[in-house]
Amino acid sequence: FGVDASLILANANQTRGIDSKEGLPRDLTSRVLDEYLETLDDAAFGASTKVIPKYISPVDPAARWTGADGGAAFFAYSTNYMVDLDNAVIVDVEPSVPIRTAEAFAARRMIDRITDRFGMTPDKLVGDTGYGSAEMLGWLVEERGIAPHIPVWDKSKRTDGTFSREDFVYDPATDSYTCPGNKELQTYRRNFSKPRKPNGGKDGFIRYRASKHDCDACPLKPQCCPGDPGPRVMRSVHEAARDIARDIRKTDAYMTSFIQRRKVEMLFAHLKRYIGVPMMRLRGPKGAYEQFQLAATAQNLRKLAKLVPTPDPT
């Protein structure tokens, strides 16, 4: 399967948004407002981020104020497609706000729904970097056994001339890192009677630290940790899944998946240009789901008409 999301302009006046600091009027009542309140704890909508949008639309509060396309900001939803890449058939649709974490959660929801409804689970999932977070890759590999043909979301590369995390070598046998100065970084420096297994913090990372004694005498300290007593390497609790994704990216199969991913992008282009959905006509999360579902159904019918052989008139 391939997964991707595309911005759809909401049916809301972009110039009449209310400053989020002021909040919506207390006397405002509508169906879409009730739907908005119902989705505040939904990971595909209100619970996807703690960042408060700059403006809220009074006619469609669930639509998100975004400038994700690089131009002027506007109210929008994301339509998320799960696609059978062999035939470019849409197998599921899910609306969300246009936020990376919300779109990743929508992908998880679609995979679970496809498994429950049709008994199908993909062997691999093809997507862009937006789906390459450690949490998403860990869910795919560790919980679903799905090969992630997805670039890893990695911001560990340093640009200030100091060593990056990739300069430290991890040894799974000892669960430790070795720095460029050939010194060991460990999670614990104390000797416990019962060995302790390192656990990730609230942010999902395990921290490895070097000995201050080793660092003070190291000639590489200015290039390693000039402002700290010693280097600290952070390893995700899902790093094994991230490594699997990195290894897959080096294969020829990944290059094939990279080319196949264009089929999902073409479906979005077809959605906006030929199906005629450059913007929403309905409002609210339920309206978004209904409109996206109907549009995807129209696309599938068009595709299936080409796949099914035409009967011989004779």
Side-chain angles (χ1 to χ4, degrees):
F1 290 167
V3 64
D4 206 351
S6 184
L7 286 174
I8 302 293
L9 188 69
N11 185 3
N13 193 318
Q14 315 304 315
T15 63
R16 295 186 179 179
I18 298 175
D19 193 315
S20 59
K21 295 180 181 179
E22 300 177 4
L24 295 170
R26 294 188 176 183
D27 58 348
L28 182 64
T29 58
S30 64
R31 174 189 60 82
V32 293
L33 177 60
D34 294 338
E35 292 181 13
Y36 164 67
L37 295 176
E38 290 175 0
T39 58
L40 287 178
D41 295 327
D42 191 330
F45 284 92
S48 61
T49 178
K50 295 181 180 180
V51 178
I52 300 174
K54 187 175 182 180
Y55 297 108
I56 302 175
S57 170
V59 297
D60 193 353
R64 183 82 180 190
W65 181 257
T66 179
D69 65 349
F74 54 91
F75 293 110
Y77 285 90
S78 276
T79 177
N80 299 267
Y81 278 5
M82 189 71 65
V83 178
D84 167 19
L85 293 179
D86 289 337
N87 299 296
V89 172
I90 305 166
V91 291
D92 207 339
V93 185
E94 181 75 15
S96 72
V97 290
I99 297 175
R100 179 173 58 87
T101 52
E103 293 168 354
F105 182 82
R108 294 167 61 168
R109 180 176 287 173
M110 288 188 288
I111 289 175
D112 285 341
R113 192 160 52 215
I114 293 166
T115 302
D116 293 339
R117 287 182 177 179
F118 309 119
M120 295 190 304
T121 301
D123 295 326
K124 66 179 180 181
L125 183 69
V126 181
D128 58 25
T129 313
Y131 303 92
S133 66
E135 183 180 5
M136 180 65 180
L137 294 174
W139 183 84
L140 288 171
V141 175
E142 298 161 9
E143 297 188 31
R144 293 296 181 269
I146 300 172
H149 287 233
I150 301 170
V152 177
W153 179 272
D154 192 352
K155 294 293 183 180
S156 64
K157 185 71 175 178
R158 302 294 294 270
T159 58
D160 57 358
T162 58
F163 294 133
S164 300
R165 192 175 67 87
E166 62 186 17
D167 296 315
F168 295 77
V169 180
Y170 180 70
D171 182 3
T174 59
D175 188 29
S176 64
Y177 279 92
T178 301
C179 73
N182 203 31
K183 299 298 181 181
E184 195 174 65
L185 283 73
Q186 300 174 343
T187 53
Y188 298 114
R189 288 285 169 183
R190 294 172 55 188
N191 293 322
F192 297 99
S193 57
K194 293 183 179 180
R196 294 190 179 184
K197 183 178 180 180
N199 297 315
K202 294 182 179 180
D203 58 357
F205 286 92
I206 303 171
R207 289 157 175 80
Y208 296 78
R209 296 176 175 85
S211 166
K212 184 177 183 300
H213 178 269
D214 291 338
C215 291
D216 288 343
C218 181
L220 297 175
K221 190 176 188 303
Q223 192 179 354
C224 181
C225 51
D228 297 315
R232 182 180 62 179
V233 176
M234 300 173 64
R235 179 180 175 86
S236 170
V237 294
H238 303 296
E239 197 64 31
R242 284 158 56 92
D243 288 340
I244 289 175
R246 292 187 183 101
D247 292 339
I248 291 175
R249 192 171 184 180
K250 301 174 184 177
T251 64
D252 293 338
Y254 178 86
M255 294 305 301
T256 302
S257 299
F258 180 80
I259 296 172
Q260 285 184 320
R261 198 174 74 195
R262 298 173 187 172
K263 294 182 181 180
V264 189
E265 298 169 355
M266 289 299 296
L267 283 169
F268 287 136
H270 181 270
L271 171 71
K272 297 177 180 180
R273 181 172 298 181
Y274 298 109
I275 301 297
V277 190
M279 68 171 291
M280 297 285 298
R281 298 190 182 186
L282 304 178
R283 290 172 175 165
K286 293 182 180 178
Y289 182 79
E290 291 174 1
Q291 184 167 344
F292 296 160
Q293 186 96 350
L294 286 170
T297 301
Q299 289 181 278
N300 274 349
L301 289 172
R302 185 174 183 272
K303 171 64 66 173
L304 292 174
K306 294 181 178 180
L307 293 176
V308 176
T310 304
D312 190 347
T314 59

